[in-house]
Amino acid sequence: MGQRLTQIATRTGDNGTTGLGDNTRVSKNSLRVHAMGDVDELNSNIGVLLCETMPESVRSLLVEIQHQLFNLGGELSIPGFELLKPEAVLALDAALAEHNEALPRLQEFILPAGTRAASLAHVCRTVARRAERAVVALEGQEALKDTPRQYLNRLSDLMFVLARVLNRYRTDGTQGDDVYWKSEKLAQASAD
């Protein structure tokens, strides 16, 4: 990626193909392009999430994740190339452990709801799962390294945890909580 974009509207994609980083052209409907698009959508959704108020530790983590997702997109755009390193997965593991440790243990399913920031984190979680499925589908056709799949799998878990963190974060000093699914089990436990 030595060249920077100077012209955005090239019209080379008008025929339904797009150029990869190795100068090959593929259908815009290829599994590789679907994976690249899902990763790009995930990164864009994280950008929207970053517009919200949140703890600085979460903000800096999400900014780093955006950089790693850009690496992942670059890796997907150049077949056989590696930009996303295994250390990025280890960093997500560490963030998962750190943020999950501070949360109460889940006793019931939670809904993808709560504060706007938490709800946006849940959207990021679901897009990460879709991006993971797209990478797995691509792996069915082409050899890929394990790191992209592992990173997206771990990232979706982390976004779930961060949604819980963000549901508890309040600037006014009050404590928020998850939005629990109203199951029969919960109703019965409350009645007892």
Side-chain angles (χ1 to χ4, degrees), residues 2-77:
Q3 294 182 350
R4 298 290 181 225
L5 293 176
T6 57
Q7 184 180 356
I8 301 303
T10 62
R11 294 173 181 75
T12 57
D14 288 353
N15 66 354
T17 65
T18 192
L20 297 180
D22 64 357
N23 293 320
T24 60
R25 296 204 64 82
V26 297
S27 168
K28 289 184 178 186
N29 195 34
S30 75
L31 291 177
R32 183 172 292 278
V33 174
H34 277 282
M36 290 165 40
D38 289 344
V39 168
D40 187 31
E41 183 181 347
L42 172 58
N43 209 342
S44 297
N45 275 291
I46 291 174
V48 174
L49 173 56
L50 282 165
C51 294
E52 299 297 316
T53 302
M54 64 186 66
E56 190 52 42
S57 63
V58 174
R59 179 173 304 286
S60 61
L61 174 61
L62 290 174
V63 168
E64 175 59 24
I65 288 167
Q66 280 198 302
H67 285 278
Q68 294 302 336
L69 287 173
F70 208 80
N71 286 339
L72 174 53
E75 183 169 326
L76 289 170
S77 75

Side-chain angles (χ1 to χ4, degrees), residues 121-143:
H122 279 296
V123 170
C124 293
R125 171 185 59 79
T126 63
V127 177
R129 285 286 183 219
R130 180 166 21 97
E132 179 187 8
R133 290 190 304 270
V135 166
V136 168
L138 178 59
E139 282 180 317
Q141 284 190 348
E142 302 179 36

